[in-house]
Amino acid sequence: MKVHLRLLRFNPETDGEPHFEEYTVEADPMDRLLDCLHQVKWRHDSSLALRRSCAHGICGSDTMLINGVNALACKVLVKDMKQPVTVEPMRGLPVIKDFIVDMEPFFAGYRAVKPWLIPDPDAHEPARERIQTPDERERFDDTTKCILCAACTTSCPIFWSDTEYVGPAAIVNAHRFIFDSRDYGSRERLQILSGKGGVFKCRTAFNCTAACPRGIKVTKAIQEVKRAALYDTF
Amino acid sequence: MLAPKLIEGFVFVLTVGSGLFVLYLLADLLRLRKRDRGPAYKGGIGQWSWAAHRITGILVVAFLFGHIVDTFAVGFGPELYNETISLYQQWWFKPFEVALVAATIFHAFNGLRIILFDFWPNLALKQKQFAYAELVLFLIAFLPAAFFMLRSAYEHSPFS
């Protein structure tokens, strides 16, 4: 079948501002949008710039604004898309070229919440594993699924206008460690997240939850972190 | 007399200013800026409730400012106050009052919905159902009020 694509192109060296360009490619209904974009890049216009690595919905490189919602180009099937398919880069992050955006503000928010295990400062090097019950592991299971694709953060109306906000993805990754029984840095993280640009910037618009390609209950996780920050319980 | 002109001017600036500010917010929300020419993000009901919450909030605050100014007129004697307040008795002003009622009721119910998620994060899993239930409650509270207000406006208008 024929697929009509409207791609928001931007080349910083020649274009003053982004503009739509239209392409028509031949694709199978079970192909993915990424396959269509590959066809454009390989057969029509090799200057099309996009990120993609694994192409199987795990690396989180090819998040785009597809027909008005954030999704991974490698997970959206041709048969499920309304034509013409409008593809734009993610919003809220500076566009470098075509669908490649500067992810630095996103990762700055991620780094700000210290997304790594902070061990017990009084304990010496562990002589054995840090044991955890299945229930303790279950507590943060949902937020371990994050692939840092930025679909949630760039769907957030607050993040679009306020890059100081760390964004939903950073809070999800903070949640993953705050509620981990082996971690000792929760209070430190909650201190950071209680401040300016922290978790209370969230206004529960729920775009993040709908956008997450991994099905993480993002807003629920954010609300849990809010309560943890308020009542110092985790 | 200078005072009525001043008060009228102040109310005018507040009204027009807040209207322009709401328009700016709408344009900002829909991302209709030059570099972002795509359509609005197709978020769900949560996104639009959030937007409506902001806009109704600003409208209510703008009205409150105007209301403080017209109450301030009472300090200059009953004539000025009555003259200022007679604006609200005009039949053509009623639709604006209906809009104010709508904004207040929506803002109140939506605020309660958001507070529920703050207390019980698990309710966030059913956010769509909560949003639609809120809209139903809004209509139940708003439609009768709008009916009675508009009926009285109609009776006092030249059309009746």
Side-chain angles (χ1 to χ4, degrees):
Chain A
M1 63 182 282
K2 289 227 179 305
V3 181
H4 299 282
L5 301 166
R6 279 180 78 231
L7 311 181
L8 190 64
R9 304 286 309 265
F10 175 66
N11 182 347
E13 288 172 5
T14 55
D15 304 342
E17 56 183 63
H19 61 279
F20 280 105
E21 273 179 37
E22 310 218 351
Y23 302 89
T24 306
V25 295
E26 191 65 38
D28 188 86
M30 291 301 283
D31 277 349
R32 300 139 327 146
L33 174 64
L34 184 65
D35 301 313
C36 302
L37 295 175
H38 276 157
Q39 281 206 47
V40 172
K41 186 171 173 66
W42 295 341
R43 306 225 171 108
H44 296 262
D45 183 353
S46 60
S47 73
L48 181 72
L50 69 142
R51 281 197 185 102
R52 55 103 177 81
S53 301
C54 78
H56 288 79
I58 293 298
C59 73
S61 301
D62 59 353
T63 309
M64 294 165 195
L65 190 58
I66 301 161
N67 277 345
V69 285
N70 276 355
L72 299 178
C74 58
K75 282 189 85 174
V76 185
L77 297 182
V78 165
K79 69 180 176 72
D80 296 331
M81 293 187 296
K82 223 178 103 191
Q83 297 218 34
V85 184
T86 306
V87 188
E88 299 164 61
M90 288 181 263
R91 291 183 182 170
L93 295 171
V95 177
I96 297 172
K97 190 184 177 195
D98 295 340
F99 302 128
I100 297 185
V101 296
D102 179 9
M103 297 283 281
E104 184 43 36
F106 171 78
F107 284 118
Y110 175 59
R111 284 193 302 268
V113 301
K114 301 183 185 254
W116 53 81
L117 188 99
I118 299 175
D120 184 356
D122 300 329
H124 299 291
E125 282 293 298
R128 57 189 182 87
E129 302 110 308
R130 299 181 172 93
I131 307 253
Q132 192 168 45
T133 68
D135 282 345
E136 284 170 337
R137 176 63 178 72
E138 181 62 29
R139 181 69 192 85
F140 57 90
D141 188 65
D142 197 35
T143 44
T144 59
K145 297 173 191 161
C146 179
I147 55 174
L148 295 174
C149 66
C152 58
T153 296
T154 57
S155 75
C156 174
I158 311 294
F159 184 81
W160 294 334
S161 55
D162 185 359
T163 43
E164 207 176 279
Y165 178 37
V166 292
I171 301 170
V172 160
N173 284 282
H175 180 285
R176 184 249 170 275
F177 288 102
I178 287 169
F179 293 99
D180 188 333
S181 60
R182 300 163 294 186
D183 184 85
Y184 283 78
S186 300
R187 200 153 277 139
E188 199 179 334
R189 285 191 201 92
L190 290 172
Q191 192 82 38
I192 296 162
L193 284 170
S194 303
K196 223 175 158 211
V199 73
F200 292 102
K201 282 260 175 203
C202 168
R203 295 289 187 275
T204 57
F206 288 98
N207 277 3
C208 52
T209 309
C212 180
R214 307 281 295 163
I216 300 172
K217 310 286 181 283
V218 183
T219 315
K220 176 175 173 264
I222 295 175
Q223 295 297 85
E224 287 174 357
V225 174
K226 279 181 190 171
R227 288 189 74 75
L230 264 182
Y231 299 108
D232 204 28
T233 49
F234 40 83
Chain B
M1 208 168 118
L2 185 65
K5 285 270 171 276
L6 265 179
I7 290 170
E8 266 174 33
F10 199 33
V11 170
F12 180 80
V13 167
L14 276 173
T15 318
V16 175
S18 56
L20 288 175
F21 188 54
V22 166
L23 279 181
Y24 163 77
L25 279 184
L26 275 173
D28 190 56
L29 173 83
L30 302 178
R31 309 308 284 170
L32 295 175
R33 290 179 187 165
K34 263 194 163 180
R35 279 182 64 85
D36 265 289
R37 290 194 303 178
Y41 190 89
K42 291 198 179 64
I45 189 167
Q47 168 185 321
W48 298 112
S49 300
W50 165 80
H53 194 75
R54 292 221 149 168
I55 290 166
T56 53
I58 288 163
L59 284 176
V60 171
V61 166
F63 171 76
L64 270 181
F65 279 139
H67 194 42
I68 288 169
V69 172
D70 65 47
T71 309
F72 174 68
V74 81
F76 296 92
E79 296 82 24
L80 180 58
Y81 180 70
N82 286 341
E83 197 193 321
T84 315
I85 226 71
S86 67
L87 176 71
Y88 300 131
Q89 264 100 53
Q90 307 294 321
W91 64 269
W92 53 264
F93 195 81
K94 271 282 182 300
F96 294 100
E97 279 193 330
V98 173
L100 177 69
V101 167
T104 316
I105 295 175
F106 178 84
H107 199 82
F109 281 156
N110 198 50
L112 289 174
R113 181 180 67 95
I114 293 166
I115 290 169
L116 284 181
F117 300 141
D118 283 338
F119 276 95
W120 296 283
N122 278 325
L123 297 185
L125 301 178
K126 297 261 180 242
Q127 60 102 358
K128 275 185 191 155
Q129 288 88 329
F130 274 97
Y132 286 117
E134 179 212 323
L135 284 186
V136 171
L137 281 177
F138 166 77
L139 290 178
I140 291 173
F142 169 68
L143 287 180
F147 172 74
F148 287 115
M149 290 173 78
L150 289 176
R151 192 177 63 174
S152 92
Y154 177 73
E155 280 162 4
H156 292 98
S157 75
F159 307 114
S160 69

